[in-house]
Amino acid sequence: MVEQTMKITAADGLHARPATAMVQIAGQYQADVNLEYKDKSVNLKSIMGVMSLGIPNDAEIKLTADGEDEKEALEAVVNKVKEEGLGE
């Protein structure tokens, strides 16, 4: 398992458009990819799960991936977060 903690810096937090982009990226990999916020963990391949967390600006999230392509999956999701200007 691999993991990375990030801070959401976008003024609107993790809203629908970038959340959808993250879900689409995670869905391209076999690994289980999860998003954790405030002791809740959801499957990053589920837009409903991600949106249910209501992640605001300045929130600290943890991304985890577990499976045969876990490193590639995590790297792709982290890059998408940075590319969307969501966090660091």
Side-chain angles (χ1 to χ4, degrees):
M1 182 191 303
V2 293
E3 64 181 56
Q4 181 160 342
T5 301
M6 301 186 82
K7 183 174 184 176
I8 299 298
T9 57
D12 294 333
L14 184 57
H15 56 91
R17 186 187 51 77
T20 299
M22 290 173 64
V23 167
Q24 290 173 342
I25 294 293
Q28 296 175 8
Y29 296 89
Q30 295 296 316
D32 291 326
V33 185
N34 292 297
L35 171 63
E36 296 179 28
Y37 173 64
K38 283 194 173 179
D39 299 323
K40 290 178 86 178
S41 179
V42 298
N43 182 339
L44 191 53
K45 296 178 183 180
S46 165
I47 188 64
M48 294 305 288
V50 174
M51 294 307 297
S52 74
L53 295 176
I55 300 172
N57 179 22
D58 283 334
E60 189 169 290
I61 62 169
K62 182 164 68 169
L63 301 165
T64 62
D66 188 22
E68 79 178 52
D69 55 358
E70 62 191 26
K71 290 179 183 173
E72 295 87 354
L74 184 64
E75 182 177 331
V77 172
V78 166
N79 286 340
K80 181 51 90 175
V81 169
K82 291 177 181 177
E83 177 184 304
E84 292 286 331
L86 285 174
E88 50 192 34

